[in-house]
Amino acid sequence: MTDLADLPYRPCAGVMLVNHAGKAFVGQRLDATTEAWQMPQGGIDPGEDARTAAVRELGEEIGVGPKHIDFVAQAPGEFTYDLPAELIGKVWKGKYRGQRQTWFLYRFTGEDTDINLATAHPEFMSWRWVDPAELPSLIVPFKRKLYEDVLAAFAGELGEKIGN
């Protein structure tokens, strides 16, 4: 068996997408066995920068393109999480111990009808807007600290530039 410490983290980009009311987008994962909600996120392709990957993931996961988003901020540094032991070897073909994520905050400038989960490779079965403070309670437990860190990183922007 591979030692967890020998496995790298998968490079990933995440997006906190916030609407005009200051609510954050969450999608309910198709592949989850429990009620798992998360913000859009995904791997960074070789040669791709994190911000480009974040925008690509929005299109791939929820059908939202660049014309419906405004960049607000990038979180400083990267955030990591480790997969639970029972998922090691089952996720990402056993190549990674978890993810190291670069997070971006975008303002959604479109209408709810611009969100389309029926993409080429669907990841979510449903979606909703939630108060950002609810995010840590909606995510799977092993990502909770990461979501708390993302909220802390964007606290100033969420309080000042977005919302009512």
Side-chain angles (χ1 to χ4, degrees):
M1 182 172 148
T2 305
D3 183 5
L4 179 64
D6 293 337
L7 292 174
Y9 287 102
R10 178 178 181 243
C12 179
V15 177
M16 179 183 284
L17 185 66
V18 179
N19 68 10
H20 68 280
K23 304 289 186 180
F25 174 95
V26 290
Q28 186 177 13
R29 292 191 56 87
L30 272 171
D31 61 358
T33 55
T34 61
E35 188 174 333
W37 295 82
Q38 71 176 41
M39 293 184 281
Q41 55 143 77
I44 299 172
D45 292 338
E48 186 177 44
D49 67 61
R51 188 166 165 181
T52 301
V55 172
R56 176 182 51 74
E57 288 293 333
L58 281 176
E60 289 178 1
E61 294 186 1
I62 66 171
V64 170
K67 72 178 184 176
H68 294 303
I69 57 173
D70 286 335
F71 174 79
V72 177
Q74 178 176 341
E78 293 180 318
F79 304 98
T80 61
Y81 73 83
D82 289 332
L83 289 169
E86 65 271 14
L87 294 180
I88 299 290
K90 295 179 183 175
V91 179
W92 308 306
K93 300 176 183 165
K95 293 196 266 185
Y96 303 102
R97 67 189 285 179
Q99 291 189 349
R100 60 179 171 83
Q101 300 182 332
T102 303
W103 277 85
F104 299 90
L105 177 61
Y106 280 90
R107 181 181 298 108
F108 180 61
T109 59
E111 302 295 326
D112 285 1
T113 54
D114 295 317
I115 295 172
N116 177 17
L117 301 184
T119 60
H121 303 284
E123 293 203 23
F124 299 123
M125 66 177 81
S126 63
W127 68 274
R128 61 186 171 151
W129 296 109
V130 300
D131 187 285
E134 290 180 58
L135 292 167
S137 68
L138 297 173
I139 191 68
V140 292
F142 63 90
K143 292 184 185 177
R144 192 162 290 144
K145 170 80 166 76
L146 181 140
Y147 270 39
E148 290 168 352
D149 292 344
V150 169
L151 279 172
F154 293 140
E157 288 83 2
L158 291 170
E160 296 170 15
K161 298 178 186 170
I162 297 200
N164 302 332

